Amino acid sequence: MRTIFGPVPSRRLGRSLGIDVIPPKTCSYNCVYCESGLTTHWTIARERFVDPDLVLDELTDYFRCYPQGADAITFSSAGEPTLYKPLGDLLRAIKNRFPSLPLIVLTNGSLLWDSEVRSDLTAADRVVPSLDAVIADVFTKVNVPHPRLDLDTIIEGLKAFGKDYHGQFHLEVLLVAGYNDHPEHLRELRRVIDQLNPDQIELNTVVRPPADPNVRGLSEQELHSLLPFFPANTQIVGHYCGSTPLKYDADLAVRVMEVVRRRPCTKSEMAAALSVESEELQRAL
Protein backbone atom coordinates (compact mmCIF):
# COMPACT_ATOMS: atom_id res chain seq x y z
CA MET A 1 0.00 0.00 0.00
CA ARG A 2 1.48 3.35 -1.06
CA THR A 3 0.76 5.82 1.73
CA ILE A 4 1.59 9.23 0.26
CA PHE A 5 0.00 10.92 -2.73
CA GLY A 6 0.03 14.27 -4.45
CA PRO A 7 0.56 17.04 -3.93
CA VAL A 8 -3.20 17.49 -4.00
CA PRO A 9 -4.58 20.83 -5.29
CA SER A 10 -6.19 21.87 -2.02
CA ARG A 11 -8.41 24.96 -1.99
CA ARG A 12 -7.47 25.47 1.66
CA LEU A 13 -3.85 24.38 1.91
CA GLY A 14 -2.21 24.99 -1.49
CA ARG A 15 -0.08 22.02 -2.56
CA SER A 16 -1.01 19.49 0.09
CA LEU A 17 1.06 16.31 0.20
CA GLY A 18 -1.44 13.70 1.29
CA ILE A 19 -0.94 10.83 3.68
CA ASP A 20 -3.40 7.96 3.51
CA VAL A 21 -3.00 5.19 6.06
CA ILE A 22 -6.58 3.89 5.72
CA PRO A 23 -7.63 1.20 3.20
CA PRO A 24 -10.33 2.54 0.85
CA LYS A 25 -13.02 3.07 1.78
CA THR A 26 -12.85 2.48 5.52
CA CYS A 27 -14.87 5.05 7.44
CA SER A 28 -17.19 5.66 10.38
CA TYR A 29 -19.57 7.60 8.10
CA ASN A 30 -21.11 6.99 4.70
CA CYS A 31 -21.72 10.63 3.73
CA VAL A 32 -24.00 11.30 0.79
CA TYR A 33 -21.60 13.96 -0.52
CA CYS A 34 -18.30 12.05 -0.23
CA GLU A 35 -16.09 12.48 -3.30
CA SER A 36 -14.38 9.16 -2.49
CA GLY A 37 -17.57 7.17 -3.03
CA LEU A 38 -19.62 4.90 -0.81
CA THR A 39 -18.12 3.38 2.34
CA THR A 40 -17.25 -0.28 1.89
CA HIS A 41 -15.86 -0.95 5.40
CA TRP A 42 -18.12 0.79 7.91
CA THR A 43 -16.39 0.73 11.30
CA ILE A 44 -15.36 2.63 14.43
CA ALA A 45 -12.60 0.16 15.37
CA ARG A 46 -9.09 1.61 15.22
CA GLU A 47 -6.43 -0.57 13.60
CA ARG A 48 -2.75 -0.51 12.62
CA PHE A 49 -3.37 -0.67 8.90
CA VAL A 50 0.24 0.05 7.81
CA ASP A 51 3.64 0.31 9.48
CA PRO A 52 4.44 3.93 10.45
CA ASP A 53 8.02 3.45 9.24
CA LEU A 54 6.71 2.88 5.72
CA VAL A 55 5.09 6.32 5.77
CA LEU A 56 8.28 7.97 7.05
CA ASP A 57 10.39 6.25 4.39
CA GLU A 58 8.03 7.37 1.60
CA LEU A 59 8.02 10.95 2.87
CA THR A 60 11.82 10.99 3.06
CA ASP A 61 12.13 9.67 -0.49
CA TYR A 62 9.64 12.23 -1.77
CA PHE A 63 11.33 15.26 -0.23
CA ARG A 64 14.72 13.97 -1.37
CA CYS A 65 13.41 14.24 -4.95
CA TYR A 66 11.31 17.40 -4.40
CA PRO A 67 12.81 19.52 -1.58
CA GLN A 68 10.17 22.24 -2.11
CA GLY A 69 7.48 19.77 -3.10
CA ALA A 70 4.62 20.73 -0.77
CA ASP A 71 3.05 23.58 1.16
CA ALA A 72 1.69 21.26 3.85
CA ILE A 73 1.54 17.61 4.90
CA THR A 74 -2.03 16.49 5.37
CA PHE A 75 -3.65 13.34 6.69
CA SER A 76 -6.57 13.18 4.27
CA SER A 77 -7.64 9.66 3.50
CA ALA A 78 -10.23 8.10 1.29
CA GLY A 79 -11.59 7.04 4.69
CA GLU A 80 -11.33 8.41 8.26
CA PRO A 81 -7.72 9.08 9.42
CA THR A 82 -8.41 8.73 13.15
CA LEU A 83 -9.20 5.04 12.60
CA TYR A 84 -5.42 4.58 12.32
CA LYS A 85 -4.34 3.36 15.76
CA PRO A 86 -0.67 4.56 15.72
CA LEU A 87 -1.74 8.04 14.55
CA GLY A 88 -0.21 9.91 17.48
CA ASP A 89 3.19 8.23 17.16
CA LEU A 90 3.27 8.84 13.42
CA LEU A 91 2.28 12.51 13.74
CA ARG A 92 5.05 13.11 16.28
CA ALA A 93 7.63 11.33 14.11
CA ILE A 94 6.68 13.34 11.02
CA LYS A 95 6.78 16.64 12.92
CA ASN A 96 10.20 15.75 14.26
CA ARG A 97 11.57 14.91 10.81
CA PHE A 98 9.87 17.73 8.84
CA PRO A 99 9.39 20.51 11.42
CA SER A 100 9.07 23.39 8.94
CA LEU A 101 5.95 22.08 7.17
CA PRO A 102 2.46 22.52 8.65
CA LEU A 103 1.10 19.13 9.70
CA ILE A 104 -2.66 18.94 9.31
CA VAL A 105 -5.33 16.33 9.99
CA LEU A 106 -8.70 16.48 8.24
CA THR A 107 -11.17 14.33 10.17
CA ASN A 108 -14.90 13.81 10.29
CA GLY A 109 -14.66 14.30 14.06
CA SER A 110 -16.71 11.21 14.84
CA LEU A 111 -14.16 9.65 17.23
CA LEU A 112 -13.20 12.69 19.30
CA TRP A 113 -15.21 11.32 22.24
CA ASP A 114 -12.26 8.88 22.60
CA SER A 115 -9.60 10.49 24.82
CA GLU A 116 -6.89 8.48 23.05
CA VAL A 117 -7.88 10.00 19.69
CA ARG A 118 -7.83 13.50 21.19
CA SER A 119 -4.40 12.85 22.67
CA ASP A 120 -3.08 11.57 19.33
CA LEU A 121 -4.15 14.74 17.55
CA THR A 122 -2.24 17.09 19.87
CA ALA A 123 0.88 16.54 17.72
CA ALA A 124 -0.73 18.16 14.66
CA ASP A 125 -0.37 21.88 13.91
CA ARG A 126 -3.95 22.10 12.71
CA VAL A 127 -6.92 19.78 13.09
CA VAL A 128 -10.04 20.27 10.96
CA PRO A 129 -12.98 18.21 12.21
CA SER A 130 -16.29 18.28 10.37
CA LEU A 131 -19.67 19.13 11.80
CA ASP A 132 -22.35 19.12 9.12
CA ALA A 133 -25.39 18.54 11.28
CA VAL A 134 -26.52 19.01 14.90
CA ILE A 135 -30.08 17.68 14.62
CA ALA A 136 -30.31 13.89 14.74
CA ASP A 137 -32.42 13.26 11.65
CA VAL A 138 -30.37 15.71 9.57
CA PHE A 139 -27.15 14.08 10.81
CA THR A 140 -28.42 10.63 9.85
CA LYS A 141 -29.50 11.82 6.41
CA VAL A 142 -26.28 13.68 5.53
CA ASN A 143 -23.51 11.72 7.26
CA VAL A 144 -25.08 8.22 7.57
CA PRO A 145 -23.11 7.37 10.73
CA HIS A 146 -22.07 3.94 11.98
CA PRO A 147 -24.91 2.51 14.14
CA ARG A 148 -22.80 2.75 17.32
CA LEU A 149 -22.23 6.49 16.91
CA ASP A 150 -24.36 9.02 18.76
CA LEU A 151 -24.62 12.67 17.71
CA ASP A 152 -24.68 14.08 21.25
CA THR A 153 -21.56 12.09 22.14
CA ILE A 154 -19.80 13.33 19.01
CA ILE A 155 -20.59 16.95 19.86
CA GLU A 156 -19.34 16.44 23.42
CA GLY A 157 -16.14 15.00 21.96
CA LEU A 158 -15.70 18.11 19.81
CA LYS A 159 -16.17 20.29 22.88
CA ALA A 160 -13.57 18.32 24.83
CA PHE A 161 -11.13 18.52 21.96
CA GLY A 162 -11.54 22.26 21.50
CA LYS A 163 -10.97 22.82 25.21
CA ASP A 164 -7.68 20.88 25.40
CA TYR A 165 -6.12 21.34 21.95
CA HIS A 166 -3.52 24.12 21.64
CA GLY A 167 -3.00 24.08 17.86
CA GLN A 168 -5.21 25.62 15.18
CA PHE A 169 -8.73 24.29 15.62
CA HIS A 170 -10.70 24.78 12.40
CA LEU A 171 -14.22 23.44 11.98
CA GLU A 172 -15.49 22.44 8.55
CA VAL A 173 -19.18 22.67 7.75
CA LEU A 174 -20.26 21.22 4.42
CA LEU A 175 -23.70 22.21 3.21
CA VAL A 176 -25.78 20.03 0.92
CA ALA A 177 -28.73 21.65 -0.84
CA GLY A 178 -32.01 20.58 0.71
CA TYR A 179 -30.35 18.54 3.48
CA ASN A 180 -28.72 20.76 6.10
CA ASP A 181 -29.09 24.29 4.73
CA HIS A 182 -32.52 25.25 6.08
CA PRO A 183 -32.76 28.08 8.65
CA GLU A 184 -34.02 25.95 11.56
CA HIS A 185 -30.98 23.71 11.33
CA LEU A 186 -28.52 26.54 10.69
CA ARG A 187 -29.69 28.39 13.81
CA GLU A 188 -29.13 25.28 15.92
CA LEU A 189 -25.78 24.68 14.22
CA ARG A 190 -24.71 28.23 15.11
CA ARG A 191 -25.60 27.62 18.75
CA VAL A 192 -23.31 24.58 18.86
CA ILE A 193 -20.51 26.33 16.94
CA ASP A 194 -20.55 29.13 19.51
CA GLN A 195 -20.04 26.54 22.24
CA LEU A 196 -17.13 24.96 20.37
CA ASN A 197 -15.46 28.33 19.71
CA PRO A 198 -13.14 27.16 16.88
CA ASP A 199 -10.40 29.43 15.54
CA GLN A 200 -12.04 29.36 12.14
CA ILE A 201 -15.08 27.89 10.40
CA GLU A 202 -14.48 26.59 6.88
CA LEU A 203 -17.78 26.70 5.01
CA ASN A 204 -17.82 24.23 2.16
CA THR A 205 -20.24 22.56 -0.24
CA VAL A 206 -20.36 19.78 -2.83
CA VAL A 207 -17.99 20.62 -5.70
CA ARG A 208 -16.94 17.19 -7.01
CA PRO A 209 -19.01 14.14 -7.98
CA PRO A 210 -20.62 12.86 -4.73
CA ALA A 211 -21.34 9.34 -3.52
CA ASP A 212 -25.04 9.97 -4.07
CA PRO A 213 -25.45 11.43 -7.57
CA ASN A 214 -28.76 13.01 -6.59
CA VAL A 215 -27.27 15.50 -4.12
CA ARG A 216 -26.06 18.92 -5.16
CA GLY A 217 -23.99 21.69 -3.69
CA LEU A 218 -24.83 25.33 -3.17
CA SER A 219 -23.78 28.08 -5.54
CA GLU A 220 -21.31 30.72 -4.37
CA GLN A 221 -24.17 33.18 -4.17
CA GLU A 222 -26.20 30.78 -2.01
CA LEU A 223 -23.24 30.22 0.32
CA HIS A 224 -22.74 33.96 0.74
CA SER A 225 -26.44 34.42 1.51
CA LEU A 226 -26.08 31.98 4.44
CA LEU A 227 -23.06 33.67 6.01
CA PRO A 228 -25.24 35.63 8.49
CA PHE A 229 -26.01 32.29 10.19
CA PHE A 230 -22.30 31.83 10.97
CA PRO A 231 -19.77 33.64 13.18
CA ALA A 232 -17.49 36.38 11.83
CA ASN A 233 -14.53 33.98 11.62
CA THR A 234 -16.23 31.95 8.88
CA GLN A 235 -14.48 31.60 5.53
CA ILE A 236 -16.01 30.15 2.41
CA VAL A 237 -13.56 27.62 1.02
CA GLY A 238 -12.17 29.21 -2.14
CA HIS A 239 -10.20 28.21 -5.18
CA TYR A 240 -6.86 26.43 -5.19
CA CYS A 241 -3.75 28.57 -4.83
CA GLY A 242 -0.32 26.92 -4.76
CA SER A 243 3.24 28.17 -4.56
CA THR A 244 6.65 26.86 -5.65
CA PRO A 245 6.52 24.90 -8.93
CA LEU A 246 7.68 21.31 -9.16
CA LYS A 247 10.04 20.19 -11.87
CA TYR A 248 8.78 17.74 -14.49
CA ASP A 249 9.43 14.11 -13.57
CA ALA A 250 9.07 10.77 -15.28
CA ASP A 251 6.59 9.39 -12.72
CA LEU A 252 4.07 12.19 -13.29
CA ALA A 253 1.41 9.78 -14.54
CA VAL A 254 1.82 7.56 -11.47
CA ARG A 255 1.50 10.50 -9.08
CA VAL A 256 -1.56 11.81 -10.91
CA MET A 257 -3.31 8.44 -10.65
CA GLU A 258 -2.48 8.20 -6.94
CA VAL A 259 -4.11 11.57 -6.37
CA VAL A 260 -7.23 10.86 -8.40
CA ARG A 261 -7.72 7.46 -6.75
CA ARG A 262 -8.02 9.16 -3.38
CA ARG A 263 -9.14 12.72 -4.17
CA PRO A 264 -10.97 13.26 -7.50
CA CYS A 265 -10.25 16.65 -9.07
CA THR A 266 -10.40 18.41 -12.39
CA LYS A 267 -7.58 18.47 -14.93
CA SER A 268 -6.99 22.17 -14.34
CA GLU A 269 -6.76 21.67 -10.55
CA MET A 270 -4.30 18.84 -11.03
CA ALA A 271 -2.15 20.77 -13.48
CA ALA A 272 -2.02 23.72 -11.07
CA ALA A 273 -0.99 21.57 -8.11
CA LEU A 274 1.77 19.83 -10.07
CA SER A 275 2.78 23.08 -11.80
CA VAL A 276 2.61 21.63 -15.30
CA GLU A 277 0.71 22.71 -18.38
CA SER A 278 -2.52 20.90 -19.18
CA GLU A 279 -0.95 19.63 -22.41
CA GLU A 280 1.96 18.13 -20.46
CA LEU A 281 -0.46 16.48 -18.08
CA GLN A 282 -2.43 15.08 -21.00
CA ARG A 283 0.73 13.59 -22.53
CA ALA A 284 1.66 11.96 -19.21
CA LEU A 285 -1.73 10.27 -19.07
Side-chain angles (χ1 to χ4, degrees), residues 28 66 196 201 203 209 217-218 237 278 284:
S28 52
Y66 312 104
L196 297 178
I201 297 93
L203 187 59
L218 279 65
V237 175
S278 295

PDB file of all heavy atoms in Angstrom, residues 28 66 196 201 203 209 217-218 237 278 284:
ATOM      1  N   SER A  28     -16.128   5.727   9.375  1.00  0.00           N
ATOM      2  CA  SER A  28     -17.188   5.661  10.382  1.00  0.00           C
ATOM      3  C   SER A  28     -18.486   6.291   9.873  1.00  0.00           C
ATOM      4  O   SER A  28     -19.525   6.165  10.517  1.00  0.00           O
ATOM      5  CB  SER A  28     -16.734   6.377  11.657  1.00  0.00           C
ATOM      6  OG  SER A  28     -16.268   7.682  11.346  1.00  0.00           O
ATOM      7  N   TYR A  66      11.983  16.101  -4.252  1.00  0.00           N
ATOM      8  CA  TYR A  66      11.312  17.395  -4.402  1.00  0.00           C
ATOM      9  C   TYR A  66      11.442  18.188  -3.097  1.00  0.00           C
ATOM     10  O   TYR A  66      10.513  18.222  -2.282  1.00  0.00           O
ATOM     11  CB  TYR A  66       9.829  17.198  -4.739  1.00  0.00           C
ATOM     12  CG  TYR A  66       9.594  16.213  -5.843  1.00  0.00           C
ATOM     13  CD1 TYR A  66       9.127  14.924  -5.565  1.00  0.00           C
ATOM     14  CD2 TYR A  66       9.863  16.548  -7.168  1.00  0.00           C
ATOM     15  CE1 TYR A  66       8.924  14.008  -6.579  1.00  0.00           C
ATOM     16  CE2 TYR A  66       9.656  15.638  -8.187  1.00  0.00           C
ATOM     17  CZ  TYR A  66       9.190  14.363  -7.890  1.00  0.00           C
ATOM     18  OH  TYR A  66       8.990  13.456  -8.891  1.00  0.00           O
ATOM     19  N   LEU A 196     -18.422  25.554  20.728  1.00  0.00           N
ATOM     20  CA  LEU A 196     -17.128  24.957  20.372  1.00  0.00           C
ATOM     21  C   LEU A 196     -16.034  26.016  20.264  1.00  0.00           C
ATOM     22  O   LEU A 196     -14.862  25.726  20.526  1.00  0.00           O
ATOM     23  CB  LEU A 196     -17.250  24.216  19.039  1.00  0.00           C
ATOM     24  CG  LEU A 196     -18.211  23.020  19.005  1.00  0.00           C
ATOM     25  CD1 LEU A 196     -18.258  22.431  17.595  1.00  0.00           C
ATOM     26  CD2 LEU A 196     -17.779  21.960  20.003  1.00  0.00           C
ATOM     27  N   ILE A 201     -14.105  28.786  11.011  1.00  0.00           N
ATOM     28  CA  ILE A 201     -15.078  27.889  10.396  1.00  0.00           C
ATOM     29  C   ILE A 201     -14.832  27.903   8.905  1.00  0.00           C
ATOM     30  O   ILE A 201     -14.751  28.969   8.286  1.00  0.00           O
ATOM     31  CB  ILE A 201     -16.530  28.313  10.689  1.00  0.00           C
ATOM     32  CG1 ILE A 201     -16.831  28.235  12.188  1.00  0.00           C
ATOM     33  CG2 ILE A 201     -17.509  27.413   9.942  1.00  0.00           C
ATOM     34  CD1 ILE A 201     -16.603  29.505  12.911  1.00  0.00           C
ATOM     35  N   LEU A 203     -16.468  27.006   5.584  1.00  0.00           N
ATOM     36  CA  LEU A 203     -17.777  26.703   5.007  1.00  0.00           C
ATOM     37  C   LEU A 203     -17.593  26.146   3.601  1.00  0.00           C
ATOM     38  O   LEU A 203     -17.009  26.794   2.733  1.00  0.00           O
ATOM     39  CB  LEU A 203     -18.635  27.967   4.976  1.00  0.00           C
ATOM     40  CG  LEU A 203     -20.100  27.803   4.548  1.00  0.00           C
ATOM     41  CD1 LEU A 203     -20.827  26.830   5.470  1.00  0.00           C
ATOM     42  CD2 LEU A 203     -20.792  29.156   4.534  1.00  0.00           C
ATOM     43  N   PRO A 209     -17.965  15.163  -7.927  1.00  0.00           N
ATOM     44  CA  PRO A 209     -19.010  14.142  -7.979  1.00  0.00           C
ATOM     45  C   PRO A 209     -19.179  13.415  -6.642  1.00  0.00           C
ATOM     46  O   PRO A 209     -18.226  12.833  -6.119  1.00  0.00           O
ATOM     47  CB  PRO A 209     -18.507  13.189  -9.068  1.00  0.00           C
ATOM     48  CG  PRO A 209     -17.686  14.067  -9.964  1.00  0.00           C
ATOM     49  CD  PRO A 209     -17.013  15.046  -9.051  1.00  0.00           C
ATOM     50  N   GLY A 217     -24.533  20.661  -4.543  1.00  0.00           N
ATOM     51  CA  GLY A 217     -23.992  21.692  -3.687  1.00  0.00           C
ATOM     52  C   GLY A 217     -24.721  23.008  -3.856  1.00  0.00           C
ATOM     53  O   GLY A 217     -25.664  23.127  -4.646  1.00  0.00           O
ATOM     54  N   LEU A 218     -24.273  23.992  -3.089  1.00  0.00           N
ATOM     55  CA  LEU A 218     -24.832  25.332  -3.173  1.00  0.00           C
ATOM     56  C   LEU A 218     -23.947  26.192  -4.067  1.00  0.00           C
ATOM     57  O   LEU A 218     -22.734  25.984  -4.136  1.00  0.00           O
ATOM     58  CB  LEU A 218     -24.926  25.967  -1.787  1.00  0.00           C
ATOM     59  CG  LEU A 218     -26.129  25.584  -0.912  1.00  0.00           C
ATOM     60  CD1 LEU A 218     -26.088  24.110  -0.528  1.00  0.00           C
ATOM     61  CD2 LEU A 218     -26.156  26.444   0.349  1.00  0.00           C
ATOM     62  N   VAL A 237     -14.716  28.267   1.630  1.00  0.00           N
ATOM     63  CA  VAL A 237     -13.556  27.623   1.016  1.00  0.00           C
ATOM     64  C   VAL A 237     -13.472  28.057  -0.437  1.00  0.00           C
ATOM     65  O   VAL A 237     -14.425  27.907  -1.205  1.00  0.00           O
ATOM     66  CB  VAL A 237     -13.657  26.088   1.123  1.00  0.00           C
ATOM     67  CG1 VAL A 237     -12.503  25.425   0.382  1.00  0.00           C
ATOM     68  CG2 VAL A 237     -13.659  25.664   2.597  1.00  0.00           C
ATOM     69  N   SER A 278      -1.500  21.933 -18.949  1.00  0.00           N
ATOM     70  CA  SER A 278      -2.517  20.903 -19.182  1.00  0.00           C
ATOM     71  C   SER A 278      -2.104  19.942 -20.285  1.00  0.00           C
ATOM     72  O   SER A 278      -2.378  18.736 -20.232  1.00  0.00           O
ATOM     73  CB  SER A 278      -3.849  21.561 -19.536  1.00  0.00           C
ATOM     74  OG  SER A 278      -4.358  22.302 -18.459  1.00  0.00           O
ATOM     75  N   ALA A 284       1.260  12.913 -20.238  1.00  0.00           N
ATOM     76  CA  ALA A 284       1.658  11.961 -19.214  1.00  0.00           C
ATOM     77  C   ALA A 284       0.613  10.879 -19.005  1.00  0.00           C
ATOM     78  O   ALA A 284       0.936   9.755 -18.641  1.00  0.00           O
ATOM     79  CB  ALA A 284       1.910  12.693 -17.904  1.00  0.00           C
TER      80      ALA A 284
END
